[in-house]
Amino acid sequence: MIRLDRIIKQYGERRVLNDISLHFPKTGFFAIVGPSGCGKTTLLNILSGIDDDYRGNYIFKNKSMSILNRDERSYFRLLNVGYIFQDFRLFESDTVSNNIMLPLDALTDETSAIKKRHISSILNLVSLSDKKDTFVNLLSGGEKQRVAIARAIVNNPALILCDEPTGALDEQNANKVMEILKTISSRHLVLVVSHDEHLVTRYCDMKIKIVDGVVTNDIAYERSNIKTKIIFPQLKKQNMKPQMPLKTMIRRAFSLIKTKKYRVVLNNAMMSLGLLGVGLSIIMTFSIQERIVTGFSEVIEDGMIIMSKRGESGAPINAYSASYENVTNIAQTYGAWVSGVGASYAVNFESFFQDRDELFISSTSHKVILPRFTTRQINDFYWLDERAQNHPVYPYQQTNLDSDEMIIGLPYNDMVGICYSLRIERNYTSLGNYISTQRPLLTLGIANNDWQYEDEQVFHLCGVIESAAPSIYHTNHLWNEYVFQEKMRIPSVDDGRHEFPWQMAKCYFLTTRNSPETFLEIAALEPSLRDYVFELAGDDFHPTHCPISGPCLLQRLLVFHVDKETIDVSILPRIIGSEQGISNYAYATDGGYYYHPNSFLAGFAKNIFISLSDAQIEKAIDADTLIYEESENAIFDPPLGVLQGNIQSSLSGGVSFSSDLGKVIYGRKPVSLNEIAVSETLANELLTAREIVGKKLQIAVNYQNIAYDNNRIEKRYSLVQAEIVGVAQGSKNTLHHRPFWSLGFFQLQGGISAFELIPKNIILTIDDNVDSNLLITRLNHRYSEFEFYNPIKSITAGLDETMLFFKVVLLSFSSLAVLTSFFLFFIVMYITIEENRKEIILLDYLGIPKKQIRTSFIVCGIIFSSMSFFLSAIEIAIVDYVITHVIAGYVGTNIPYIFDFRPLISILFLSFIISYGASFYAFNNQYSRAKIHFDNRRKY
């Protein structure tokens, strides 16, 4: 079966084997003896195919071994050679069964059950049936050698090579081993290298002695036939090249982990930090930017274009009262909605005439004071043509009064007191008759000693009206102007800038025929009215007309001329009419619906509450009325059934506004300011989408804040009721109305100043199928005085620029982290392979190809790195979660946490590359060193 012809093996100048020629049959027990260094082990290495660097010819089963490459020689050993070592060469941390299974797994693809039966029969042969599941490190030396014999014969090899198999055993175990080998030699060729000639002489069929690389003699012995027969089952060999199964590689990897668990833990912790650095770099490079954009997109629609005045846009400046001519022209032009022009003075009359300010009947024998009548009532007089329709005038209705005539309004108690002083019957009719017959004179007495000013003006009393408060009526809409400026000669100013303390700030106003709503909506888009602001007359001008609490909502519109530095909204009809793709728009103001150009946030500028419950919204108002100054911007948690809307709460699902009325699914579109539509989501928050139509929605608006010296702030709310007439599609808590609602509602019902409702920006909403970039480019080209931009894209562009520097830094950090992880892993794998060099040589002797051995260590490295990956994945998930919430807090919105798998995929790929590359290079380096080391040990 084996023929060696003139084999010469030389190390340097010395021949270890010198022209050796030997022949071996298929079976038998042969012993090779000789002194140390004579070439015995070298001969075994040549026979096994380990050593191919020799001269001569080695024929195995009529095939020359010199033509085989490395992988073919490995397959030759696996298939034909069983190797038994003096030091056992077993996997100490694995079981007996797994040690024996290794070459069997590599050679055959039989089922696990067949393999286990085969191993059981082999263990029976070596008397270790009860040790099948015992770990090798728990066996005695003799038992370990018998396991090595079982492993050597498990593949039914033709040749069994034994290198000093009894060298580490006592006499009893040595005899047992030799008995087993003798039995095996009945069916196999067994070659034993030994120093113990006495022992081998008792068992071998032939003894060959080598001295100085030369066979000096061989002695054959006559032996009786061996009675014990070994029967090996026929195992099906793999058709492909043999390879170590993956499960075996994984088992060996976990075996290494068990033996070096502390090192593995430390390595995994260190490597996970490197991977964490890479993952953080990816999160910082990509995820953070996306999370910020996502956070803003929660409150900023992607299909939104902001229109603003190009260049710096400031607050209105140089506001002053419009001239009488301009106000009259407006009244004439818009006469369908405007009923008249009046004047009002913003003067604190209580201190203006601080030394005397009274009105009394002066035509009687004694002075009859009209209680609570001062110049205030003259300024706040009512137009008789508007009030007398519902209030009878005593003694008769009058349509035209002279400038020195007046009609007074008296509360009942005041009327009784005056009648008593006049000694007439105490009723309005009696007083009216007295006025008709006596034509009493009224004298206005005023004085301010600081100015050395004193005056009296006389008027004719022409009638009386029953009223709730002291008041004056006249048919001349500018009667107060006549009194103050023509009769009393008091100068006025139109811009509030007083050169002298006795000057009065005057402003003309318009009164509308019905609600100012229609006129204001038209005025908002009229180019000719662009430079005017129409302010509701309030406490500053007509305090006696206003309620004690709540906003003052008169139908008098003060007309101010304002040099605006803000956007001209009168061009909106032209833009909407000529540009396709713009579905609707909304006004952005400082006091209504607000848009912040720096943070790109949109929401109600003033806090609002909405609810279907009167009681619950009152609770919300009471809870938020008086607060500490430091809590002014704190987010308030309203009671159950109440929803809140402001610039902050809009970031976290608060109530917002939309002018989109194209998707009303229940009911109809709102028409007046007393009607409203709500989104489907908002309807379901308060009730249900179907049931809410027709309900009354309570809307509370924070129209004024008053700061006190004790660091407390009083927040004043107006409470308005609007009928819900429709429900629109929408995934957010949104109020729906036409664009003017965000101006008209807050001014006419919420009590917000018109100066706070001057549009600063326009929020254009575009259709879903419109390319916003093309539309923005076209708008900026056609309307160059304005700037159009998409907030989300602006955020993205700004973040791109901001993150560029971080990307460069993080890329460098990532590269350093990768290199550090690779170097660390290389060191760990290098040490691990260094500690397992004997196992590498063992696998090589067993016939496992180098590629498979390397793969097994690569698998080991991948398992090592997978632990690092899982550890870093947990760390990244925690960091990613924290970053999401930090960004949400920074942006001020609720960002739903969606785990970003890109960092995980990246570090998974990276950990694989690191483990594969480091294991590959570490193995190649160590394999070469291990081969040289063992070759040097086996030279002789």
Side-chain angles (χ1 to χ4, degrees):
M1 184 178 72
I2 294 177
R3 187 173 76 248
L4 299 175
D5 292 333
R6 310 194 67 179
I7 298 297
I8 298 175
K9 173 65 179 178
Q10 191 166 339
Y11 291 104
E13 297 297 325
R14 180 180 177 184
R15 288 188 176 184
V16 180
L17 297 178
N18 188 10
D19 201 25
I20 288 182
S21 297
L22 291 170
H23 299 268
F24 297 102
K26 290 184 179 181
T27 62
F29 193 173
F30 292 82
I32 301 174
V33 298
S36 297
C38 68
K40 303 186 297 298
T41 301
T42 301
L43 180 60
L44 291 187
N45 289 340
I46 292 174
L47 289 171
S48 65
I50 291 289
D51 193 343
D52 63 341
D53 184 18
Y54 59 87
R55 286 179 288 168
N57 198 12
Y58 170 23
I59 305 297
F60 186 89
K61 292 185 178 180
N62 300 319
K63 185 176 182 179
S64 175
M65 294 293 293
S66 60
I67 64 174
L68 303 181
N69 58 31
R70 174 188 289 271
D71 288 342
E72 289 172 335
R73 291 197 307 273
S74 294
Y75 184 51
F76 162 77
R77 282 194 300 280
L78 183 62
L79 188 62
N80 296 288
V81 179
Y83 224 114
I84 303 172
F85 303 91
Q86 176 181 352
D87 53 356
F88 322 129
R89 301 284 179 86
L90 299 171
F91 297 111
E92 294 284 329
S93 59
D94 215 338
T95 63
V96 170
S97 178
N98 287 338
N99 269 270
I100 301 172
M101 184 71 78
L102 176 60
L104 196 62
D105 279 340
L107 185 64
T108 179
D109 54 6
E110 290 282 11
T111 64
S112 177
I114 293 175
K115 291 178 184 178
K116 288 179 179 179
R117 285 200 301 270
H118 180 57
I119 290 175
S120 295
S121 65
I122 296 297
L123 289 174
N124 281 333
L125 177 65
V126 296
S127 303
L128 288 175
S129 298
D130 58 335
K131 302 291 184 179
K132 178 173 62 175
D133 297 321
T134 303
F135 284 93
V136 170
N137 55 12
L138 300 178
L139 300 178
S140 65
E143 290 172 332
K144 289 180 181 181
Q145 194 61 287
R146 280 181 278 163
V147 173
I149 294 172
R151 182 185 61 194
I153 64 175
V154 72
N155 281 348
N156 195 19
L159 174 63
I160 297 175
L161 302 176
C162 308
D163 189 2
E164 301 282 357
T166 61
L169 304 179
D170 57 30
E171 182 178 355
Q172 181 180 0
N173 282 308
N175 288 328
K176 286 183 181 179
V177 169
M178 295 303 287
E179 288 288 350
I180 294 172
L181 293 176
K182 181 64 178 177
T183 302
I184 293 171
S185 68
S186 64
R187 293 179 57 89
H188 302 268
L189 175 60
V190 178
L191 298 182
V192 177
V193 167
S194 180
H195 289 88
D196 193 345
E197 291 191 36
H198 176 70
L199 180 63
V200 298
T201 300
R202 289 163 46 196
Y203 293 96
C204 67
D205 298 323
M206 176 178 287
K207 181 173 67 176
I208 301 171
K209 189 168 186 178
I210 299 178
V211 178
D212 294 331
V214 178
V215 176
T216 56
N217 65 356
D218 52 69
I219 303 171
Y221 301 98
E222 292 292 335
R223 304 295 185 191
S224 59
N225 292 333
I226 301 173
K227 297 180 181 180
T228 305
K229 299 295 183 183
I230 303 175
I231 300 175
F232 289 100
Q234 292 298 317
L235 297 177
K236 180 172 64 176
K237 303 299 193 302
Q238 293 188 35
N239 295 325
M240 299 181 297
K241 290 184 178 180
Q243 59 183 8
M244 189 186 302
L246 179 62
K247 65 178 183 179
T248 303
M249 297 181 183
I250 295 174
R251 187 175 66 244
R252 290 195 60 250
F254 280 105
S255 178
L256 287 175
I257 292 172
K258 286 173 60 179
T259 56
K260 305 295 181 182
K261 51 181 176 292
Y262 295 114
R263 179 192 301 167
V264 171
V265 169
L266 180 61
N267 172 62
N268 288 338
M270 296 297 291
M271 185 175 174
S272 71
L273 293 178
L275 295 176
L276 175 62
V278 175
L280 284 178
S281 300
I282 295 171
I283 290 175
M284 295 290 288
T285 304
F286 300 105
S287 184
I288 284 184
Q289 182 170 342
E290 293 176 359
R291 298 286 169 84
I292 294 176
V293 173
T294 300
F296 279 106
S297 66
E298 291 293 314
V299 291
I300 304 175
E301 300 292 341
D302 190 28
M304 177 191 294
I305 294 177
I306 302 301
M307 173 184 173
S308 60
K309 182 178 176 63
R310 191 172 294 278
E312 186 175 355
S313 177
I317 59 172
N318 197 23
Y320 52 91
S321 172
S323 67
Y324 175 74
E325 292 76 12
N326 289 337
V327 176
T328 302
N329 183 55
I330 294 172
Q332 292 173 351
T333 304
Y334 301 93
W337 302 280
V338 177
S339 60
V341 177
S344 185
Y345 295 84
V347 174
N348 183 4
F349 289 97
E350 288 71 25
S351 61
F352 198 77
F353 299 109
Q354 59 187 6
D355 296 304
R356 186 186 183 196
D357 190 0
E358 61 181 355
L359 189 66
F360 57 92
I361 299 175
S362 57
S363 58
T364 58
S365 59
H366 57 281
K367 183 178 181 180
V368 179
I369 298 293
L370 298 184
R372 294 182 291 165
F373 276 85
T374 65
T375 49
R376 168 66 66 191
Q377 278 64 41
I378 294 176
N379 180 70
D380 294 1
F381 82 102
Y382 291 97
W383 294 357
L384 186 61
D385 50 352
E386 291 183 344
R387 302 286 289 188
Q389 298 175 0
N390 301 318
H391 297 78
V393 180
Y394 302 93
Y396 52 85
Q397 196 73 30
Q398 303 181 51
T399 58
N400 189 21
L401 296 176
D402 291 337
S403 296
D404 61 350
E405 296 178 332
M406 74 169 69
I407 294 174
I408 62 173
L410 292 174
Y412 180 81
N413 290 335
D414 291 351
M415 179 272 297
V416 170
I418 291 174
C419 289
Y420 178 80
S421 298
L422 295 174
R423 296 179 176 85
I424 61 175
E425 191 176 345
R426 299 165 193 177
N427 56 59
Y428 288 99
T429 301
S430 175
L431 182 58
N433 291 333
Y434 176 84
I435 294 172
S436 176
T437 58
Q438 300 296 323
R439 294 283 291 173
L441 297 177
L442 294 180
T443 299
L444 174 66
I446 52 176
N448 188 318
N449 296 335
D450 292 342
W451 309 336
Q452 297 181 357
Y453 176 83
E454 185 176 1
D455 191 15
E456 285 188 347
Q457 297 293 334
V458 179
F459 302 90
H460 288 283
L461 179 60
C462 298
V464 64
I465 294 175
E466 182 180 1
S467 62
S471 55
I472 296 176
Y473 298 87
H474 209 281
T475 56
N476 180 4
H477 292 178
L478 296 172
W479 180 72
N480 57 347
E481 184 181 48
Y482 162 79
V483 172
F484 290 136
Q485 294 191 246
E486 290 191 32
K487 288 180 71 70
M488 299 172 61
R489 303 293 181 179
I490 298 176
S492 67
V493 294
D494 60 6
D495 58 0
R497 300 174 184 175
H498 296 79
E499 185 177 355
F500 303 103
W502 50 82
Q503 291 176 318
M504 303 173 72
K506 179 178 67 174
C507 185
Y508 292 101
F509 64 82
L510 300 172
T511 58
T512 58
R513 298 191 182 278
N514 296 301
S515 169
E517 175 182 345
T518 304
F519 170 73
L520 289 177
E521 186 167 9
I522 293 172
L525 297 175
E526 279 291 315
S528 61
L529 300 180
R530 157 162 166 63
D531 293 330
Y532 296 97
V533 170
F534 301 94
E535 174 80 317
L536 280 180
D539 289 336
D540 291 342
F541 287 88
H542 298 292
T544 62
H545 292 194
C546 298
I548 297 176
S549 62
C552 186
L553 305 175
L554 304 178
Q555 289 186 219
R556 296 183 174 186
L557 297 174
L558 301 168
V559 184
F560 291 93
H561 192 286
V562 179
D563 294 331
K564 296 181 181 177
E565 291 295 326
T566 54
I567 191 169
D568 180 6
V569 299
S570 64
I571 200 173
L572 277 175
R574 176 184 164 192
I575 295 176
I576 301 298
S578 61
E579 297 295 338
Q580 295 182 350
I582 301 177
S583 57
N584 53 74
Y585 65 93
Y587 298 104
T589 65
D590 289 340
Y593 197 67
Y594 179 72
Y595 171 76
H596 196 285
N598 294 326
S599 64
F600 306 104
L601 300 180
F604 289 110
K606 308 288 186 177
N607 190 51
I608 71 167
F609 296 117
I610 65 170
S611 178
L612 296 178
S613 169
D614 297 350
Q616 290 299 96
I617 203 165
E618 288 286 357
K619 287 181 181 178
I621 294 173
D622 291 343
D624 198 42
T625 294
L626 197 61
I627 61 172
Y628 285 101
E629 186 174 356
E630 58 268 19
S631 305
E632 181 178 6
N633 297 318
I635 296 178
F636 173 70
D637 188 16
L640 185 65
V642 178
L643 298 180
Q644 184 178 25
N646 54 50
I647 193 66
Q648 289 177 297
S649 67
S650 64
L651 301 172
S652 55
V655 179
S656 61
F657 170 70
S658 173
S659 59
D660 184 6
L661 293 173
K663 299 177 181 178
V664 175
I665 55 178
Y666 301 112
R668 60 175 175 83
K669 299 177 182 179
V671 177
S672 69
L673 297 180
N674 293 322
E675 298 176 339
I676 197 70
V678 299
S679 66
E680 189 174 9
T681 301
L682 178 56
N684 290 325
E685 283 275 355
L686 297 176
L687 193 61
T688 67
R690 292 183 181 273
E691 296 175 335
I692 203 169
V693 175
K695 300 294 184 182
K696 300 296 183 180
L697 183 68
Q698 307 295 327
I699 306 176
V701 179
N702 173 214
Y703 68 92
Q704 186 181 26
N705 289 349
I706 300 176
Y708 297 105
D709 294 337
N710 57 357
N711 293 327
R712 293 174 74 89
I713 294 176
E714 180 187 355
K715 300 174 72 174
R716 294 185 175 179
Y717 281 87
S718 60
L719 186 58
V720 184
Q721 189 179 82
E723 182 182 359
I724 301 174
V725 297
V727 176
Q729 286 184 349
S731 59
K732 298 180 179 179
N733 293 326
T734 311
L735 300 176
H736 291 259
H737 212 294
R738 62 185 189 275
F740 176 70
W741 185 87
S742 64
L743 303 179
F745 173 82
F746 284 98
Q747 180 180 6
L748 300 179
Q749 299 189 15
I752 304 298
S753 169
F755 286 93
E756 293 186 80
L757 295 170
I758 297 175
K760 299 291 186 66
N761 300 278
I762 302 298
I763 303 173
L764 303 174
T765 304
I766 62 175
D767 297 332
D768 294 337
N769 57 350
V770 175
D771 188 332
S772 62
N773 291 329
L774 291 177
L775 180 58
I776 289 171
T777 302
R778 187 166 65 248
L779 289 171
N780 280 315
H781 176 72
R782 291 181 179 178
Y783 308 97
S784 58
E785 67 271 30
F786 304 107
E787 181 181 6
F788 300 85
Y789 61 91
N790 185 320
I792 293 295
K793 289 183 170 56
S794 298
I795 291 172
T796 303
L799 287 174
D800 286 339
E801 184 176 347
T802 304
M803 295 296 290
L804 180 61
F805 171 75
F806 289 102
K807 288 180 179 179
V808 174
V809 173
L810 292 172
L811 180 62
S812 303
F813 177 75
S814 299
S815 301
L816 180 62
V818 169
L819 292 175
T820 303
S821 298
F822 182 88
F823 178 75
L824 176 66
F825 201 86
F826 176 84
I827 295 298
V828 170
M829 288 306 300
Y830 188 89
I831 294 173
T832 300
I833 297 172
E834 166 74 24
E835 293 174 341
N836 290 274
R837 281 198 295 181
K838 289 184 178 180
E839 292 190 3
I840 295 173
I841 299 301
L842 170 61
L843 294 171
D844 194 27
Y845 270 83
L846 293 178
I848 307 299
K850 174 186 175 183
K851 185 183 295 185
Q852 291 295 306
I853 302 173
R854 180 173 60 212
T855 301
S856 71
F857 279 98
I858 290 174
V859 169
C860 180
I862 291 174
I863 292 176
F864 279 13
S865 67
S866 66
M867 296 179 180
S868 301
F869 163 75
F870 285 117
L871 183 59
S872 59
I874 295 172
E875 296 167 347
I876 287 174
I878 295 172
V879 172
D880 192 39
Y881 180 82
V882 171
I883 287 176
T884 299
H885 283 268
V886 168
I887 293 174
Y890 170 75
V891 177
T893 185
N894 290 327
I895 302 177
Y897 178 67
I898 301 175
F899 185 70
D900 188 355
F901 285 93
R902 285 176 299 180
L904 251 60
I905 293 172
S906 300
I907 65 171
L908 176 62
F909 176 76
L910 187 60
S911 65
F912 175 81
I913 295 299
I914 290 174
S915 60
Y916 185 92
S919 302
F920 184 93
Y921 288 110
F923 176 83
N924 283 349
N925 184 281
Q926 281 288 13
Y927 184 83
S928 300
R929 294 186 61 198
K931 290 289 290 182
I932 294 171
H933 174 75
F934 277 90
D935 284 347
N936 289 335
R937 289 185 60 187
R938 296 294 185 178
K939 278 184 182 181
Y940 308 112

